[in-house]
Amino acid sequence: MLKKMIALLTSHDMCVLATCRDHKPHCSLMAYVTDDQGLTLYMVTRRDTTKYRNIVDNGHVSLLVDTRQGAGDRASIRSLTVEGWAAPLMDGARDVEMRRRLQERHPQIQGLLDHPQSTLIEVTVRAFLLLEGPEKATHITVTSVDTPSSESH
């Protein structure tokens, strides 16, 4: 099931990012790329945004990726909620590599990538919740790539 969740995450490249600060939630539509394992996401933002300030103050985030686009039957829509920990990316070599990947996958955000206030955000996946249709739910806590724990409903 973990492989199925990672496959959904890596086959898409847009999500809704939810952050929170001072009990005020904030959602942002974000372009992203993942690392090779699919358990870390990278996205770009400016340091003068609400989402950036929220992440610096409270790194707990949630992301939503779904299959609405192109789904003919609404009952077959899958949605993946990702619980994670976000922080500004501090690794210079990783920053260069992920900016390259973001530029290749999302050429429309080149201006943001080049902006002097831009910074990359790294989101480490802690848990997945996959909804398949309106009632089938599977939750996996990611303790490591090899040892997830799962619960289905």
Side-chain angles (χ1 to χ4, degrees), residues 8-115:
L8 195 151
L9 185 64
T10 59
S11 67
H12 288 75
D13 60 8
M14 296 290 294
C15 69
V16 175
L17 169 69
T19 61
C20 189
R21 182 172 169 240
D22 297 330
H23 305 288
K24 295 177 188 168
H26 179 74
C27 289
S28 305
L29 185 60
M30 302 293 291
Y32 70 87
V33 294
T34 66
D35 68 351
D36 294 336
Q37 289 77 35
L39 294 173
T40 306
L41 293 88
Y42 299 89
M43 44 193 84
V44 64
T45 189
R46 288 174 33 172
R47 288 185 291 277
D48 60 354
T49 62
T50 299
K51 76 180 91 45
Y52 180 80
R53 288 188 298 274
N54 289 359
I55 288 168
V56 168
D57 189 56
N58 176 7
H60 294 280
V61 298
S62 183
L63 296 89
L64 178 68
V65 176
D66 67 68
T67 62
R68 277 179 289 178
Q69 188 173 4
D73 175 19
R74 287 191 175 193
S76 68
I77 294 173
R78 294 179 299 145
S79 66
L80 183 67
T81 300
V82 178
E83 177 190 334
W85 180 258
L89 180 59
M90 299 301 198
D91 179 331
R94 191 72 151 163
D95 186 274
V96 169
E97 171 65 13
M98 292 304 137
R99 282 180 186 271
R100 183 190 61 75
R101 285 191 189 185
L102 279 162
Q103 191 279 327
E104 286 176 359
R105 184 94 183 231
H106 303 281
Q108 74 279 8
I109 65 169
Q110 187 64 52
L112 179 57
L113 286 164
D114 293 340
H115 194 279

